[in-house]
Amino acid sequence: AEQGMGALRTKIADKLYGNLIQDSEVFVSDGAKCDILRLQIMFGYDVVSAVQDPSYPVYVDTSVMQGQTGLFKESDKQFDGIVYMPCNPDNGFFPDVSKLPRADVVYFCSPNNPTGVAATKEQLTELVKICNERGSILVFDAAYAPFIRSEGVPKSIFEIEGAKTCAIEVNSFSKYAGFTGVRLGWTVIPHELKWADGSSVHADFNRVMTTGFNGASNIVQGGGMACLDDEGLAEINSLIDYYLENANILSTTFTELGYKVHGGTDAPYIFIDLDGKSSWDQFNSFLEECQVVTIPGAGFGPGGEGFLRLSAFAPRESIEEACKRFKENAASKA
């Protein structure tokens, strides 16, 4: 079926959500990124979206593609018609949504790409409360949930009371099990989630899925089933521990080099504060002087300018070699 193999939907609900959700609420797909576009197709053009700033570009880009926005403004590097939710060191990378304009759809990723910061239960409780009060749909991107190791940090929005009447969750096997090129993910839409007229959001997304998607490959879904066996989950945890140690090495290196470092505790990303320096200039410096590729924060929206994202998704030897080059480059300028 287009919604996914029944056994896989049941296993996702059981193994990853502890039956916080029903298996019938799970839509298996070819990845969270693809599902975000499908959600946008369901929402249509006549909605206002809110996005974290900085954030993964797909939320803004699909909003633009759907015709939800006005023109791009060079003055502030923002599109008219989108509510940008500032996430920066001053607010702990969590926006004060109560002081921002209402949006029909609120996109929120935790742990966040690119900042590497995970929202607390208290923060998400407030976000859910506001979305319910305003009649906003919260699209919660939990792709990096398996990296959460801190006590009390939710791995799913459905751990929060009231989420089922306002939230949709997207997730992926890409970060769980390295399925980035294989393509397998899922979206959870609770049966309790309704449009303003009382009709079912679940039913509408089911129509989108069954009309524009033929279902993930059975072979790939079989791989997903194996990943969720006890042995598979143990291997996933081992791999994530490996990447988190990579993140720790990167974080330690840049802290020793005198940078302010964010993220990396419950996420595979390190967000380096460049103290006002252009992210593209720093990207070019590291590329030319160290032959190491980093990611300019400006690529994640105007709020990312002045930061650099580093990724822990690499072999340990590559991480150690990159850190060695960063240190040698800094020493040559001392």
Side-chain angles (χ1 to χ4, degrees), residues 205-228:
F205 190 67
N206 186 65
R207 180 61 185 268
V208 171
M209 289 290 285
T210 55
T211 301
F213 183 57
N214 283 331
S217 158
N218 286 345
I219 296 173
V220 173
Q221 291 189 68
M225 289 283 290
C227 288
L228 297 181

Side-chain angles (χ1 to χ4, degrees), residues 51-54 85-89 91-95 108 112 115 271 303:
V51 300
Q52 291 162 287
D53 183 28
M85 303 184 292
C87 298
N88 51 57
N91 61 14
F93 294 97
F94 190 86
F108 198 90
N112 182 261
T115 68
F271 211 46

Side-chain angles (χ1 to χ4, degrees), residues 3 9 12-13 17 19-28 158 164 168-169 186-193 202 205:
Q3 302 91 340
R9 299 170 79 190
I12 288 171
Y17 291 89
N19 288 317
L20 281 172
I21 62 170
Q22 300 177 45
D23 56 6
S24 60
E25 297 172 323
V26 178
F27 292 87
V28 175
F158 299 117
K164 288 193 173 185
I168 292 169
E169 182 165 299
W186 69 92
T187 289
V188 179
I189 302 187
H191 293 298
E192 294 94 324
L193 185 62
H202 182 280
F205 190 67

